[in-house]
Amino acid sequence: MGEKMDAQLKVEDLHVGFKQKKSSVNILNGVSFQVYKGETLCIVGESGCGKSLTSLSIMGLLPKQGEVQGGKIEFEGENLVQKNMKQMSRLRGNDLSMIFQEPMTSLNPVHTVGKQVAEVVRTHRQVGKKEAYSRALEMFELVGIPSPAERLHNYPHELSGGMRQRVMIAMALACNPKLLIADEPTTALDVTIQAQILELLNDIKAERQMSIMMITHDLGVVSEVADRVLVMYAGEVIECANNRQLFNNPQHPYTQGLIASIPKLKEEKDELPIIEGSVPSPEKMPKGCRFSTRCPFAKQECLTDSPPLQEAEEHTVRCWMHTDRWEEMTPWKGVDEDGREATEQDLIRS
Ligand SMILES: Nc1ncnc2c1ncn2[C@@H]1O[C@H](COP(=O)(O)OP(=O)(O)OP(=O)(O)O)[C@@H](O)[C@H]1O
Ligand code: SF4
Ligand SMILES: [Mg+2]
């Protein structure tokens, strides 16, 4: 699947970093992927791997020190990286929408939720107050808020966490976005509410032909809602494949580790399974494969040469093992094929 479908969003070789006093530090290192029309792409990866930074770059909402250092973000054929703030704010909430992790921080405590949703409608549509409120009411009904007409007059603190998240979704959907980015949309909620919200998003997606890019730690959720899955590691895409392929036949050693260590997929979890070792910090990033400090299969050249992201058996994968070069590469010194005792320090020294 893939090539023949229309891409709604195309991220190409995206480099993002943070300005520091004299230099800048790179975080996203050549991130490339697409979101096709009408699909749900889930992004997974350990904390700090750059998932939120990827979504914020797309939305044009990078923190102050953040900068796009290279690459393209194409939405409907236009490069968002070249747009100014005004153009981006017109797109946001209109064609492009985002739901953030913690609804309390994104809702304004001093206005009623109805007013806030109506405001969003009025920012993007030439409509009067009354019409904006009736659109808000319609959205509250759509997202399953009980007694919606009364809830419009509530302040955020008067609603439960699940209801606030529904308000956020109503707000994000008010202008019929073509792409909805949901960054951990349900982690703050309890499990039954999580399931309801995800089901809701899925229904709305089907009804409106919307594309969803969803970030979540929960592989159980991923296996249920994703059409395709993108795995990130230390600021890079390391694997991308359709749902079934990724779970049944993971190709990258990191993805294999993730999936092998899920005790039971359906089990309630809010963190990714544990793989030994830790993610290298941006300042101490290995020169070659960024996973080489933890990879049980690493060869000598993995430490110095960065593997390309390329197609392999219906997957896109970044690992030397899936290239012609693998056979000629030098085994990790003094270690047999199935494992090694090298420490992280050994590997970083290069
Ligand atoms: N304002 C900032 N200044 C400097 N570095 C930052 C800033 N924000 C994020 N980073 C760095 O960028 C990297 C990626 O952060 P990001 O928030 O995208 O991770 P994430 O994958 O969303 O993690 P999580 O799962 O914890 O939400 C992290 O290593 C972090 O240290
Ligand atoms: S390139 Fe080498 S170190 Fe990196 S994941 Fe593949 S085998 Fe492991
Ligand atoms: Mg994040």
Side-chain angles (χ1 to χ4, degrees), residues 75-126:
F75 179 71
E76 308 238 289
E78 290 188 59
N79 188 359
L80 301 188
V81 173
Q82 283 163 353
K83 297 213 178 279
N84 60 32
M85 269 159 60
K86 201 168 156 203
Q87 292 168 319
M88 279 313 291
S89 74
R90 204 174 303 140
L91 266 175
R92 277 196 300 270
N94 219 355
D95 287 348
L96 258 182
S97 237
M98 180 157 171
I99 309 173
F100 297 88
Q101 179 168 351
E102 186 27 77
M104 213 40 194
T105 55
S106 337
L107 287 170
N108 188 333
V110 304
H111 296 301
T112 64
V113 289
K115 180 174 168 142
Q116 294 183 57
V117 177
E119 282 295 314
V120 170
V121 176
R122 293 193 69 193
T123 312
H124 296 284
R125 302 264 164 100
Q126 307 294 336

Side-chain angles (χ1 to χ4, degrees), residues 31-101:
V31 167
S32 298
F33 66 92
Q34 312 199 339
V35 184
Y36 297 112
K37 286 189 178 150
E39 79 164 346
T40 299
L41 175 79
C42 281
I43 303 188
V44 299
E46 267 160 294
S47 186
C49 71
K51 304 179 298 292
S52 294
L53 225 46
T54 302
S55 3
L56 294 173
S57 310
I58 297 167
M59 297 298 289
L61 291 173
L62 282 176
K64 206 158 142 242
Q65 304 300 318
E67 55 178 0
V68 174
Q69 300 164 328
K72 271 206 285 192
I73 301 173
E74 246 179 54
F75 179 71
E76 308 238 289
E78 290 188 59
N79 188 359
L80 301 188
V81 173
Q82 283 163 353
K83 297 213 178 279
N84 60 32
M85 269 159 60
K86 201 168 156 203
Q87 292 168 319
M88 279 313 291
S89 74
R90 204 174 303 140
L91 266 175
R92 277 196 300 270
N94 219 355
D95 287 348
L96 258 182
S97 237
M98 180 157 171
I99 309 173
F100 297 88
Q101 179 168 351

